Amino acid sequence: MSLFKKILSAFVVLVLIVVVVALFFIRGIATKGIPDYNATIKLDNLKEEVTVYRDEFAVPHIYAKNVDDLYRATGYCMAQDRLWQIDLIRRATTGELSEIFGADMINADQLLRMLRIPEKSRSILEISDPKILNALDAFCDGVNQYIDTHQKNLPPEFLILGYKPNKWLPEHSLNLIGYMAWDLTMPWSIETVYHKIKEKVGQEKFAEIVPDLDLQESVIYSEIGEFEAVISRDSPYLAAMDKLPDLGLEIFSGSNNWAVSGEKSATGKPLFSNDMHLGLNAPGIWYTMHQVIEGELNVTGVAVPGQPLVVAGHNQDIAWGMTNVMVDDMDFYFETINPENPDEYWFNGEWHPLEIRKEIIEVKGGEPVERINRFTHRGPIVTKFKDMDENKPISMRWIGNEPSNELRSLYLINRAKNWEDYKDALRTFVSVSQNVAYADVMGNIGIYCAAGVPIREGWNGVAIAPGETDKYDWKGLVPFEELPHSYNPKSGFIASANNRSTDSDYPYHISYWYAPQYRIARIHELLKDKPYLSVDDYKLMHADFKSKLVEGLIDRIRLVITQIDEPNELEQESIKLLNDWDGILTKESVAATIFEQFYLELMNNIFGDELGEELLADYLEVEYMINSTIDKFWLEGNSLWCDNVNTEQVETLNDNITAAFKDAIANLTERFGSDMEDWQWGEVHGLVLEHPMGGVKILDKVFNLNRGPWPVGGNQGTVSPYSYDSNDPFTVDFGASHRHIYDTSDWDNSLSIIPTGISGIPASKHYCDQTDSYVNNEYRNDYISRNLIEEQAKYIQTFTNK
């Protein structure tokens, strides 16, 4: 027995030693790459000393004495915080994801290479101003010096995946332009789904779901400025593309921005707000920073990791922020391939050679794979990528391949002093189409549609066009002077929320794919509610969960469900809750959960019988288009879609409402139980921040990659948006990627917040240290005065050349 105890004790001690060693090993990996923000760093090629102050959230305030030093230090700081994310974005833009993730990404890589993003980047470099190129070179040098000096202390993802980052080049920063253009292009997903629906249900039913722009009363450019010129699901490829949002590689999508003039501001000077909406992941897509060259530049805001310029923010003179125009900037064409030679296509009466590109894709754990991409004069043949009949080849033309120079635009807007400077900067902002709102210290407000809007003749771009002639080719882009814009409108405010750009008097077609009116209607309501608005009012607007979608539907719902025969106990209580509900989706609301489940069931009941499970799932991926369609059905009182094709009787809209309500209560009971306290919206609707590798459970468990859930309110249609995938309710994975409130009367009164943190390293305390503030509608002080920055500094880092 004594011997057995000794053996057992020795075994326990051995196990404990192994566990301790393993924990130290894991911690060693997890904490790799965490920087010392107080260290003095020797930076080669630096001309003068640079000081970086970081606040309690480690947001960098970078003080330099010249342009090159500023951007060199910016590159180093960004690499300190987000190196793996920077490299991941680069790999997406060049189609090199398979090299680190394996064969699952081969199809995505082929499609990404089809976009020819690096080719566009090289063309921009060739025409860029030397001073901008010098700034970009300095930024790249900063990133590369960090990489070179940290080969043994890289962030943990590099060790886990077994690779090291390549040298960062100016081309890689510019690649972000092409990727952003691709990311926000609307027709790729929408027109694919609409094409499938039309083929399945026929023209009559299809016509009922095409957006009716006349139902969108609120337009962004209601007071358009004078023109300054005379107006003369099964596919493996689609499945692969669906992986990109999971990697946190989503840049733009929905957004809000608004500004009031001094006449409506409590300060007497404009107040400005912007919150861009996209997938919520960890790390987040935005890098918050403040850049200063004393007497020359003082700019703060958010940047995309991998490039050195503020995308949305303010300097000492102006503030700017963006929302997606939702422009129809992609068209598809049926091509005729030569039966005698598959490398030729028919155009304008003769055969033309296709451009053939062989792509060699490196694959982790496997042999390189060769794929072929083919191009017409319009762009790539995309048929196999879009899950369509490969015997009917389809080519794609999209705005991302058109001439533009967003790098120039951002460089100049970071330095703009007035409306004219701002407009000049936006002239080359073509491929990444945005409604760019504006406010300045002189009291002016405005908004400009900086977009590449194709000019089409004889068609609206919705259908797939015949490609045998140039009849349906673009005839150019709408000239910058003729794009919608508004400056100091009589209303005293400007606002946009991805809604319709202009009324029917505008001579060019911009899009059918606008977001519904819910957010913009509520924003207008709140802007008009008080004669004067303050920073505190803006904070309340950012936190607003009042649903205009609910407001438009609830009366009919109440009328129908109160007439249900013999409702059960839970149905009776649910009817009472909906009858008493104010339409505000707070996290404590049970009625909000009932409504959201009801709406999911309603979409399924109306569209599921005609479309089937797979096509319905595709349609739900563009739910905001379904929102507009259901609104139209509500207004008209019925639709052909309301009849269930699988039954003999003819169902009405009211029949669908009844069925959806009953299905909702049954499903909520099955999922969450019969205690309605467990149905509170925040209990079932939580924000989860997922790391690109967080889907691997063991990695998540060991390295704490994913964070959450945090209970939240709202939905995709509220001003404060917390959205979920309708095919997988109710986990929140989409919302405001940042919130900014800028006070032009005193920039130091400005506020900002992001949903994650400045660091991309999961073991860093700054990985998600802003999330609690974000979900509680709190902010960090966004100071730009040096004395205030120094007072609040928690870290001070010096860069020197000695």
Side-chain angles (χ1 to χ4, degrees):
M1 181 64 68
S2 177
L3 180 61
F4 175 75
K5 286 184 177 179
K6 288 180 180 179
I7 293 172
L8 182 61
S9 297
F11 178 74
V12 170
V13 170
L14 180 62
V15 169
L16 288 174
I17 291 172
V18 170
V19 169
V20 170
V21 170
L23 289 174
F24 271 103
F25 178 73
I26 291 169
R27 177 168 174 76
I29 296 174
T31 56
K32 273 186 171 293
I34 294 180
D36 179 358
Y37 292 134
N38 287 311
T40 297
I41 304 294
K42 182 181 182 301
L43 206 54
D44 292 340
N45 305 317
L46 208 63
K47 297 173 183 175
E48 300 181 74
E49 190 173 275
V50 176
T51 303
V52 179
Y53 302 95
R54 292 180 183 255
D55 62 15
E56 62 179 314
F57 298 106
V59 172
H61 301 260
I62 305 169
Y63 282 80
K65 296 181 176 64
N66 60 76
V67 172
D68 286 355
D69 286 353
L70 175 72
Y71 291 121
R72 184 167 283 107
T74 297
Y76 194 96
C77 288
M78 202 175 276
Q80 278 183 314
D81 294 320
R82 302 286 187 92
L83 181 60
W84 186 70
Q85 184 186 31
I86 290 172
D87 187 71
L88 181 64
I89 295 173
R90 178 192 68 79
R91 288 181 174 277
T93 65
T94 56
E96 295 177 328
L97 294 170
S98 302
E99 191 174 351
I100 61 172
F101 290 121
D104 282 352
M105 301 303 294
I106 291 173
N107 294 324
D109 280 343
Q110 184 185 0
L111 175 53
L112 290 164
R113 295 185 188 196
M114 176 197 78
L115 303 178
R116 299 184 288 188
I117 290 173
E119 183 177 316
K120 167 76 173 283
S121 297
R122 290 190 286 271
S123 70
I124 294 174
L125 286 173
E126 290 175 359
I127 62 170
S128 291
D129 189 311
K131 65 183 178 183
I132 300 177
L133 295 178
N134 289 339
L136 195 55
D137 286 339
F139 171 80
C140 295
D141 184 42
V143 173
N144 289 324
Q145 287 196 53
Y146 182 85
I147 292 173
D148 291 342
T149 57
H150 287 76
Q151 287 292 300
K152 295 183 179 180
N153 193 30
L154 294 168
E157 293 92 341
F158 289 106
L159 184 60
I160 293 168
L161 293 171
Y163 81 102
K164 291 186 177 182
N166 294 334
K167 184 177 181 180
W168 192 259
L169 303 174
E171 176 183 309
H172 299 152
S173 295
L174 281 164
N175 285 350
L176 295 174
I177 296 170
Y179 189 79
M180 286 189 288
W182 167 254
D183 185 65
L184 61 78
T185 291
M186 307 308 299
W188 175 264
S189 56
I190 295 173
E191 291 185 10
T192 301
V193 173
Y194 272 58
H195 177 83
K196 292 180 183 178
I197 292 174
K198 183 178 180 181
E199 293 221 324
K200 184 151 191 175
V201 304
Q203 178 61 35
E204 186 178 15
K205 279 191 174 180
F206 176 72
E208 292 198 5
I209 67 170
V210 174
D212 185 349
L213 296 184
D214 290 336
L215 298 180
Q216 299 204 16
E217 296 178 358
S218 296
V219 297
I220 298 171
Y221 302 92
S222 56
E223 299 177 37
I224 295 179
E226 291 296 323
F227 292 140
E228 296 163 20
V230 178
I231 296 179
S232 22
R233 207 33 95 175
D234 289 333
S235 167
Y237 299 92
L238 290 177
M241 290 306 294
D242 288 343
K243 296 177 184 293
L244 297 182
D246 295 336
L247 297 178
L249 299 174
E250 188 171 36
I251 311 294
F252 288 117
S253 191
S255 301
N256 300 325
N257 60 24
W258 64 83
V260 298
S261 69
E263 295 178 357
K264 284 188 64 66
S265 165
T267 68
K269 286 292 183 75
L271 287 176
F272 185 92
S273 171
N274 186 209
D275 57 297
M276 293 181 278
H277 306 163
L278 46 85
L280 298 178
N281 305 90
I285 195 61
W286 296 120
Y287 185 79
T288 309
M289 65 180 183
H290 174 210
Q291 299 171 313
V292 181
I293 304 172
E294 297 283 6
E296 181 178 339
L297 180 70
N298 194 340
V299 61
T300 183
V302 292
V304 178
Q307 65 82 36
L309 303 170
V310 171
V311 174
H314 77 80
N315 58 30
Q316 288 182 300
D317 299 293
I318 76 163
W320 72 97
M322 304 181 185
T323 67
N324 193 358
V325 176
M326 319 296 272
V327 64
D328 186 353
D329 56 5
M330 177 183 284
D331 284 335
F332 301 100
Y333 302 84
F334 285 117
E335 302 289 358
T336 301
I337 301 299
N338 188 348
E340 305 296 327
N341 183 352
D343 293 337
E344 293 182 339
Y345 71 105
W346 186 257
F347 179 69
N348 279 349
E350 58 184 327
W351 297 111
H352 291 258
L354 289 164
E355 180 184 348
I356 309 297
R357 294 193 179 188
K358 293 182 179 181
E359 303 289 354
I360 305 299
I361 299 173
E362 299 291 334
V363 182
K364 181 179 181 179
E367 294 297 317
V369 173
E370 181 181 292
R371 291 289 176 87
I372 303 296
N373 283 329
R374 293 174 168 84
F375 301 83
T376 71
H377 70 285
R378 300 181 176 102
I381 300 289
V382 298
T383 313
K384 60 185 177 182
F385 295 107
K386 295 182 67 60
D387 189 25
M388 294 180 180
D389 185 355
E390 290 196 51
N391 294 318
K392 298 179 181 178
I394 295 173
S395 67
M396 175 188 80
R397 182 170 185 178
W398 75 298
I399 196 65
N401 290 143
E402 300 300 310
S404 68
N405 194 339
E406 284 77 7
L407 179 70
R408 169 194 176 273
S409 294
L410 291 180
Y411 187 89
L412 293 180
I413 206 169
N414 279 211
R415 292 158 169 77
K417 297 182 180 300
N418 51 49
W419 175 254
E420 293 303 317
D421 288 350
Y422 153 91
K423 287 197 301 179
D424 178 56
L426 293 182
R427 285 181 180 277
T428 49
F429 205 88
V430 176
S431 293
V432 188
S433 298
Q434 298 289 297
N435 298 298
V436 187
Y438 169 95
D440 67 34
V441 295
M442 300 302 293
N444 303 298
I445 62 172
I447 187 167
Y448 214 107
C449 179
V453 179
I455 298 175
R456 303 175 176 92
E457 292 182 1
W459 72 307
N460 56 17
V462 174
I464 299 175
E468 294 183 351
T469 71
D470 60 5
K471 178 179 180 180
Y472 298 102
D473 280 3
W474 295 356
K475 311 307 178 186
L477 302 178
V478 175
F480 179 78
E481 292 79 7
E482 298 177 22
L483 291 167
H485 55 277
S486 179
Y487 184 58
N488 289 331
K490 294 177 183 178
S491 63
F493 67 83
I494 54 96
S496 68
N498 317 114
N499 54 301
R500 185 181 180 186
S501 298
T502 65
D503 60 26
S504 56
D505 291 334
Y506 186 67
Y508 300 109
H509 169 73
I510 296 177
S511 186
Y512 277 109
W513 315 126
Y514 299 114
Q517 296 278 285
Y518 316 133
R519 283 183 288 118
I520 194 63
R522 181 60 175 161
I523 290 169
H524 282 181
E525 191 173 80
L526 292 168
L527 291 175
K528 295 174 181 178
D529 187 50
K530 298 176 68 174
Y532 305 102
L533 292 105
S534 66
V535 168
D536 285 340
D537 292 318
Y538 273 32
K539 290 164 70 174
L540 291 174
M541 290 177 71
H542 277 168
D544 190 77
F545 291 147
K546 173 75 172 178
S547 172
K548 301 298 283 186
L549 181 154
V550 172
E551 185 179 286
L553 304 185
I554 197 65
D555 286 345
R556 178 184 284 269
I557 294 171
R558 287 168 176 161
L559 179 66
V560 172
I561 64 177
T562 53
Q563 297 175 17
I564 291 175
D565 292 333
E566 299 182 2
N568 63 37
E569 185 177 342
L570 284 176
E571 289 172 348
Q572 290 179 40
E573 182 60 26
S574 298
I575 291 169
K576 182 178 185 304
L577 286 169
L578 289 176
N579 281 335
D580 295 339
W581 187 35
D582 58 8
I584 300 175
L585 286 87
T586 64
K587 62 185 179 182
E588 298 81 15
S589 173
V590 174
T593 307
I594 296 170
F595 179 85
E596 289 293 305
Q597 186 67 44
F598 160 82
Y599 200 82
L600 291 173
E601 304 294 347
L602 184 68
M603 291 189 291
N604 183 67
N605 288 347
I606 291 177
F607 301 107
D609 53 311
E610 284 94 349
L611 300 183
E613 184 176 340
E614 293 181 1
L615 187 49
L616 175 63
D618 289 343
Y619 197 21
L620 289 175
E621 291 295 327
V622 289
E623 183 185 330
Y624 71 94
M625 301 306 301
I626 303 181
N627 297 152
S628 298
T629 297
I630 290 178
D631 287 348
K632 183 163 66 171
F633 294 173
W634 231 256
L635 185 65
E636 295 172 353
N638 208 14
S639 166
L640 293 172
W641 287 86
C642 292
D643 178 36
N644 188 333
V645 298
N646 298 318
T647 66
E648 292 184 2
Q649 64 266 34
V650 177
E651 287 82 8
T652 65
L653 177 58
N654 287 356
D655 292 329
N656 280 268
I657 292 170
T658 299
F661 175 76
K662 284 183 165 292
D663 290 343
I665 305 308
N667 284 339
L668 289 173
T669 304
E670 179 180 353
R671 189 173 178 187
F672 304 116
S674 58
D675 184 350
M676 297 182 80
E677 283 295 309
D678 296 332
W679 294 13
Q680 292 183 53
W681 188 222
E683 291 296 312
V684 304
H685 179 245
L687 168 63
V688 174
L689 299 170
E690 187 165 336
H691 185 278
M693 298 193 305
V696 181
K697 291 184 179 180
I698 186 64
L699 291 179
D700 179 33
K701 189 175 183 65
V702 170
F703 295 104
N704 194 21
L705 302 177
N706 302 333
R707 302 297 166 87
W710 285 266
V712 291
N715 67 8
Q716 83 280 3
T718 52
V719 177
S720 179
Y722 286 102
S723 304
Y724 55 87
D725 184 346
S726 294
N727 289 307
D728 184 25
F730 294 105
T731 300
V732 173
D733 59 2
F734 186 93
S737 61
H738 73 109
R739 298 188 187 111
H740 286 164
I741 300 173
Y742 294 145
D743 182 351
T744 65
S745 73
D746 183 352
W747 294 118
D748 289 320
N749 288 336
S750 300
L751 303 168
S752 70
I753 199 73
I754 59 174
T756 52
I758 201 68
S759 178
I761 302 173
S764 168
K765 67 179 181 180
H766 299 298
Y767 180 60
C768 286
D769 60 335
Q770 296 186 49
T771 313
D772 286 342
S773 297
Y774 171 84
V775 298
N776 291 316
N777 303 302
E778 298 168 350
Y779 299 78
R780 52 173 287 274
N781 293 313
D782 203 350
Y783 297 138
I784 67 165
S785 294
R786 186 161 188 165
N787 63 313
L788 295 175
I789 291 166
E790 290 179 352
E791 286 175 10
Q792 70 162 2
K794 299 298 182 184
Y795 311 96
I796 302 176
Q797 188 163 59
T798 302
F799 291 96
T800 179
N801 58 7
K802 298 177 182 178

